[in-house]
Amino acid sequence: MLKNHFKIALRNLWRHRVFSFINITGLSVGITACFFISMYVVFELSYDKFHTKADRIYRVVTDIKTPSETIHTDATSWAFAPNLKLDFPEIESFVRVSGDSYLVKKGNVKFQEEKTLLADSAFFKVFDFKLIKGDPNTALTAPASVVFTETAAKKYFGNADPVGQTVLLTGNNTPATVTGLMKDLPENSQIKADMLVSMSTLTQKFRKGIDEQWGNYGANTYLLLKKGVDAQALQTKFPAFVEKRNGSESRRSQMFATLILEPIKDVYLHSTHGGPAVGSMSNVYVFSIVAVFILLIACINFINLTTARSVERAKEVGIRKVVGAAKGELASQFIGESVVLCLVAFVITVILSVVLLPMFNQLSGKVISPGILSSPVYILILFGTSVVIGLLAGIYPALVLSSFKPIMVLKGRFSTGTQGSLLRKSLVVAQFSISIALIIGTIIVYNQMNFMRNRDLGFSKDQMVVMDTNGDPGKDAFQQSVKSLPGVKMVSQSSSVPGGGNSGAYSEIENKKGDLQVANLDLYFVDFDYLNQFKIKIVAGRPFSRDFISTDTSQAMILNEEAVKLFGYKSPQEAIGRRFKQWGREGKIVGVMKDFHFRSLQEKIKPLSMRVELGGFNLVSVKVDAKNLPATLAAIEAKWKEVIPNRPFSYYFLDEFFDRQYRAEQRFGKLFLNFAILAIAISCLGLLGLASYSTYQRTREIGIRKVLGASTSGIVNMLSSDFMKLVGISFLIASPVAWYFMHKWLQDFAYRIDIQWWVFAVSGVLAMVVALVTISFQAIKAALTNPVKSLRSE
């Protein structure tokens, strides 16, 4: 019997090739899209869960309360970790990591390793990063010890064994021994590095005594707790520890630290303190919903398209029942056909997944999976999903077909009933509700991305080339030599550029009451040309000037408007001439600059200070003419090699660099758009199925109307009006739901658009047009059919 059912299923598929193609394509595309989104969601949820001790690993973050604000930072002071280990037996081990950028040389080969990580000796004990060569217990113990990833090592050693060899670090050419070779760090790790350097290199060579600095917050700290330790109970003991170890210093500086433990498995998606890699739980929720929606739409399509064809098989069912076929036997046959159809869709899904996965990896910006064929689990998941969909989606059509009364069918009079019609219409409403919601969401996402790209940032970033000298002694000479090049408009030096990160500085600023108020201000060291070059406006006082070079290099500060508000001034002018103390410097505020976005638009503008500190510059920013840009860049590179020959030349354009902050949102927008288009296309197939079914049911009515003089346009309007009503109902359902979820999504942005009424109007009209085009294809075909042929069916 099974063999017979299988043969009949294949014959029906082949006999109705176009129908089968549409049905299978919709199902395959739906399963593929759902599968990709599911892989993405699972990948995002998997961050840092590959560590075997993940349940016992916690990151220590800090809330620092000052008289001005509470600072939420992912760092701790350098002294916290070793002293926590001394005071609390519950802690098995600790690891501090700190990102840096080291110049590495091996013979004539030299690279600036931007992804350098200083790490304590227990790094490989706490984390499951695989060391291919070297001893994990000692690889990061001795000063000047280096561990490379496989990819980084090949740059210096090719395929040779790097362990035991020597490289030179930093501009001082400090010899360092390669003590290990590790696999490239997993994509789903929030700890990223191409090279590890032993923490003792910093604490014993480059910055001796940093281990004892309680007020210097520059390390990310991870604790491995002993088995059975309650992390929350341990955290309650930290205030007494901070008071004991650093209470007097905290009161003197008016900076009070609160230590918080975060499970490492929660850091990527749930931390409010930031970190080297940060995900968005909101995006995970959105994509999860989209995946369910797409799969639901595909299943609805399957039901509607199969039911639409049921009328064509009514006589077959009637004859089978007359010759003795039982209802259960007929139902099992049609469910079997549904499963066969889904298995064909499964094969196509596997092919689509293999072909499209590299494109999906590129679109998501991550290697979600190297390939589904590398993991049998993926194939089994797709197979199981296809079979389950075949069984569940085939039940309703099977029950409908097997319930036809043979006498009524063979007489040519039958109906699937108002309940069946209501169900099919409800499914179409569900489909288009989802589709309209996705259209609304896509427009809002696009508008938010466009808003972020085009918002006035308060500074100039166009045609700005930035180079990091890493404090090389030749930086001043390089700046002077570049100024005279054709195509170069202006040159300045600084410690930071907008979007590039900056240092927080312990500051004491005179407030409106005349007291020195403690605050942690972002700090830029800049030269005299910086403000003019970046077109940052001064709203009170004056900019830095060479006319006051003796005082401006040691006793002058400029604040932004947000900083002025922090210290209680109602107008920028009130802050001019007020005192400051910052990092060993004392002086007066000489100017107030207009607020500009030096961080992502996802963050509020924060208080910022600027000082001229001639020894604090690393970056050289060059404003270039857009004309003949390649020649200008080549000339700049030639000057670099002439003046700073010991460092590799590299540069970036500030506008591109600043926009990198929005890469995650841009990728989210692209993914959302692509999956929304897929969902809408699949929904249209479902609408086409219902239109086909309805038109077939009304074949004789259409023939009679034509004989009586009805026009083609009138018949098309008649057939389309019911479906337009369904789309209208979908719009009414989708609009408030879409508004709610997109409003929640926009809350992640400090600067965001307002959701305008026209978004819903455009979405509704677009849905109507798409639906009308889809329906009209079938309606026009029916309206143009010869009425004689229609009436013959009577």
Side-chain angles (χ1 to χ4, degrees):
M1 185 173 69
L2 289 176
K3 183 179 179 182
N4 183 54
H5 286 177
F6 185 72
K7 279 185 178 181
I8 292 172
L10 291 180
R11 285 173 184 169
N12 277 314
L13 287 176
W14 182 250
R15 187 179 302 121
H16 304 280
R17 291 184 290 276
V18 175
F19 168 85
S20 299
F21 173 77
I22 294 174
N23 209 355
I24 291 171
T25 299
L27 197 57
S28 300
V29 171
I31 294 175
T32 303
C34 180
F35 177 59
F36 280 171
I37 297 174
S38 299
M39 282 202 301
Y40 176 84
V41 169
V42 169
F43 182 83
E44 289 291 284
L45 294 172
S46 72
Y47 264 73
D48 299 306
K49 292 180 181 177
F50 57 86
H51 300 294
T52 56
K53 302 171 185 174
D55 291 336
R56 295 192 286 135
I57 301 174
Y58 289 81
R59 185 176 74 159
V60 186
V61 296
T62 316
D63 286 347
I64 306 171
K65 185 174 179 56
T66 74
S68 304
E69 60 183 334
T70 298
I71 305 161
H72 306 285
T73 176
D74 63 330
T76 65
S77 79
W78 291 94
F80 274 139
N83 286 284
L84 281 169
K85 176 68 170 67
L86 288 174
D87 283 19
F88 295 102
E90 298 98 321
I91 299 172
E92 183 175 317
S93 191
F94 73 88
V95 175
R96 291 167 301 176
V97 295
S98 179
D100 212 327
S101 173
Y102 275 17
L103 176 64
V104 181
K105 300 178 187 177
K106 176 62 178 176
N108 294 324
V109 180
K110 56 187 176 185
F111 289 96
Q112 188 74 35
E113 293 293 348
E114 301 292 347
K115 292 183 180 179
T116 297
L117 204 63
L118 291 152
D120 279 308
S121 58
F123 185 82
F124 292 106
K125 176 183 178 182
V126 173
F127 302 115
D128 285 4
F129 298 122
K130 188 174 181 181
L131 201 61
I132 302 170
K133 295 182 179 179
D135 185 347
N137 295 315
T138 60
L140 293 172
T141 301
S145 297
V146 172
V147 175
F148 284 109
T149 62
E150 286 182 292
T151 300
K154 286 181 179 179
K155 296 188 294 186
Y156 305 98
F157 307 102
N159 293 322
D161 184 357
V163 176
Q165 299 202 47
T166 301
V167 294
L168 302 177
L169 300 181
T170 74
N172 296 325
N173 292 328
T174 301
T177 303
V178 181
T179 54
L181 179 68
M182 65 179 178
K183 278 192 168 293
D184 292 351
L185 271 59
E187 184 79 39
N188 58 340
S189 169
Q190 46 105 9
I191 297 174
K192 309 284 187 183
D194 292 328
M195 180 179 79
L196 301 178
V197 178
S198 59
M199 186 63 74
S200 57
T201 309
L202 180 73
T203 60
Q204 297 181 31
K205 280 183 172 289
F206 296 154
R207 298 179 66 182
K208 292 182 179 180
I210 195 173
D211 271 346
E212 300 171 3
Q213 294 181 4
W214 290 90
N216 186 348
Y217 288 78
N220 293 116
T221 298
Y222 296 87
L223 302 180
L224 175 63
L225 306 186
K226 292 180 180 178
K227 292 181 180 179
V229 171
D230 185 337
Q232 291 303 313
L234 176 62
Q235 183 176 303
T236 60
K237 301 178 182 179
F238 287 166
F241 162 81
V242 174
E243 172 61 28
K244 170 187 169 184
R245 293 283 190 171
N246 195 42
S248 58
E249 173 63 22
S250 296
R251 284 185 287 276
R252 187 198 66 77
S253 64
Q254 298 182 63
M255 298 184 74
F256 301 92
T258 300
L259 302 183
I260 301 166
L261 292 177
E262 294 182 333
I264 191 172
K265 294 187 292 185
D266 294 344
V267 169
Y268 178 71
L269 287 175
H270 299 285
S271 177
T272 57
H273 289 73
V278 179
S280 169
M281 198 63 204
S282 296
N283 290 356
V284 169
Y285 287 139
V286 168
F287 279 129
S288 299
I289 293 169
V290 170
V292 172
F293 280 174
I294 289 178
L295 190 60
L296 183 61
I297 288 173
C299 292
I300 290 173
N301 261 6
F302 186 87
I303 294 171
N304 270 344
L305 288 171
T306 303
T307 307
R309 262 202 59 226
S310 64
V311 292
E312 299 177 23
R313 302 188 65 181
K315 288 185 179 180
E316 174 193 340
V317 173
I319 292 170
R320 285 177 176 273
K321 281 199 167 186
V322 168
V323 298
K327 183 177 178 179
E329 184 180 343
L330 288 170
S332 65
Q333 176 189 330
F334 292 124
I335 291 175
E337 289 184 18
S338 172
V339 173
V340 168
L341 196 101
C342 287
L343 290 178
V344 175
F346 158 71
V347 174
I348 297 174
T349 298
V350 171
I351 295 171
L352 287 175
S353 298
V354 171
V355 173
L356 298 178
L357 185 57
M359 295 173 58
F360 180 72
N361 284 337
Q362 185 177 10
L363 189 62
S364 65
K366 301 176 181 181
V367 181
I368 304 299
S369 172
I372 70 165
L373 297 180
S374 62
S375 177
V377 175
Y378 289 147
I379 306 297
L380 289 174
I381 290 173
L382 288 176
F383 179 80
T385 302
S386 301
V387 172
V388 170
I389 290 174
L391 292 172
L392 295 178
I395 288 175
Y396 174 71
L399 292 176
V400 171
L401 289 166
S402 62
S403 297
F404 288 160
K405 296 180 179 179
I407 296 176
M408 300 297 292
V409 168
L410 294 176
K411 281 185 177 182
R413 298 191 303 273
F414 72 95
S415 172
T416 57
T418 57
Q419 289 184 346
S421 175
L422 181 62
L423 176 61
R424 284 187 294 277
K425 289 180 179 180
S426 299
L427 293 177
V428 169
V429 169
Q431 280 185 315
F432 264 83
S433 296
I434 294 169
S435 298
I436 293 170
L438 290 175
I439 292 172
I440 294 170
T442 301
I443 294 174
I444 292 172
V445 169
Y446 173 80
N447 286 342
Q448 177 63 22
M449 295 300 104
N450 193 52
F451 169 80
M452 293 169 69
R453 284 192 297 268
N454 298 320
R455 180 178 170 86
D456 181 11
L457 299 173
F459 70 96
S460 173
K461 59 183 174 68
D462 297 326
Q463 281 81 54
M464 202 79 71
V465 182
V466 183
M467 290 144 286
D468 191 346
T469 67
N470 285 279
D472 192 276
K475 60 184 180 179
D476 294 331
F478 174 68
Q479 178 187 20
Q480 294 303 318
S481 65
V482 168
K483 282 183 177 180
S484 60
L485 293 176
V488 172
K489 294 181 177 180
M490 292 188 72
V491 185
S492 67
Q493 290 191 66
S494 64
S495 63
S496 304
V497 292
N502 37 274
S503 300
Y506 176 81
S507 311
E508 295 177 72
I509 309 292
E510 184 181 352
N511 61 24
K512 185 158 186 180
K513 297 178 181 179
D515 302 322
L516 286 176
Q517 180 176 324
V518 174
N520 189 72
L521 300 182
D522 286 324
L523 171 63
Y524 278 19
F525 290 138
V526 301
D527 67 6
F528 293 103
D529 299 314
Y530 186 89
L531 291 170
N532 186 30
Q533 180 173 328
F534 283 82
K535 296 183 179 178
I536 298 171
K537 297 177 182 178
I538 296 294
V539 295
R542 64 173 178 84
F544 297 121
S545 172
R546 290 185 176 85
D547 294 337
F548 304 94
I549 190 169
S550 61
T551 55
D552 277 8
T553 55
S554 59
Q555 302 172 24
M557 174 184 284
I558 291 177
L559 298 176
N560 69 349
E561 293 172 299
E562 194 63 31
V564 168
K565 294 175 187 175
L566 179 67
F567 298 109
Y569 299 109
K570 292 182 179 179
S571 70
Q573 192 63 43
E574 293 181 24
I576 303 303
R578 300 289 184 161
R579 295 171 296 149
F580 78 84
K581 292 182 180 180
Q582 187 183 68
W583 277 6
R585 298 285 190 185
E586 296 185 30
K588 293 184 177 181
I589 298 166
V590 300
V592 176
M593 57 188 156
K594 188 175 180 62
D595 282 341
F596 67 93
H597 293 278
F598 58 95
R599 294 187 180 183
S600 164
L601 287 172
Q602 287 178 293
E603 301 179 52
K604 290 278 189 184
I605 295 175
K606 295 188 175 182
L608 174 67
S609 60
M610 285 188 182
R611 290 195 355 241
V612 177
E613 189 77 31
L614 298 180
F617 305 144
N618 288 331
L619 304 179
V620 175
S621 303
V622 182
K623 179 79 171 179
V624 297
D625 194 328
K627 298 177 182 177
N628 205 15
L629 186 57
T632 303
L633 291 175
I636 293 173
E637 181 177 5
K639 290 294 184 182
W640 178 282
K641 291 180 177 178
E642 178 185 328
V643 180
I644 309 178
N646 294 323
R647 291 186 178 275
F649 175 73
S650 64
Y651 68 91
Y652 55 86
F653 286 96
L654 183 59
D655 54 351
E656 295 176 0
F657 180 74
F658 192 86
D659 289 344
R660 285 179 196 169
Q661 299 175 103
Y662 311 125
R663 276 185 179 174
E665 286 72 31
Q666 289 167 351
R667 287 171 182 149
F668 170 80
K670 288 179 180 178
L671 286 171
F672 195 94
L673 173 63
N674 282 285
F675 288 123
I677 291 172
L678 276 178
I680 294 163
I682 298 171
S683 293
C684 288
L685 288 176
L687 193 61
L688 181 64
L690 189 59
S692 172
Y693 176 83
S694 178
T695 303
Y696 191 93
Q697 287 281 68
R698 303 176 73 174
T699 299
R700 291 187 293 278
E701 178 190 345
I702 293 169
I704 293 170
R705 286 180 179 274
K706 290 200 72 174
V707 169
L708 295 176
S711 65
T712 300
S713 60
I715 291 173
V716 170
N717 289 336
M718 177 193 72
L719 293 173
S720 302
S721 61
D722 288 343
F723 295 107
M724 290 299 99
K725 291 176 184 176
L726 297 180
V727 176
I729 294 171
S730 301
F731 173 75
L732 294 176
I733 295 171
S735 295
V737 175
W739 179 90
Y740 174 79
F741 283 105
M742 295 315 298
H743 178 75
K744 295 282 285 184
W745 179 75
L746 286 171
Q747 300 310 304
D748 289 340
F749 299 87
Y751 300 91
R752 52 187 176 267
I753 61 169
D754 293 322
I755 301 178
Q756 303 290 337
W757 66 268
W758 63 263
V759 171
F760 301 95
V762 168
S763 301
V765 170
L766 186 60
M768 287 284 187
V769 170
V770 170
L772 190 59
V773 170
T774 304
I775 296 163
S776 296
F777 171 79
Q778 193 67 34
I780 293 171
K781 179 182 175 182
L784 294 176
T785 301
N786 189 333
V788 176
K789 291 183 179 179
S790 301
L791 294 173
R792 259 183 202 164
S793 63
E794 188 66 46

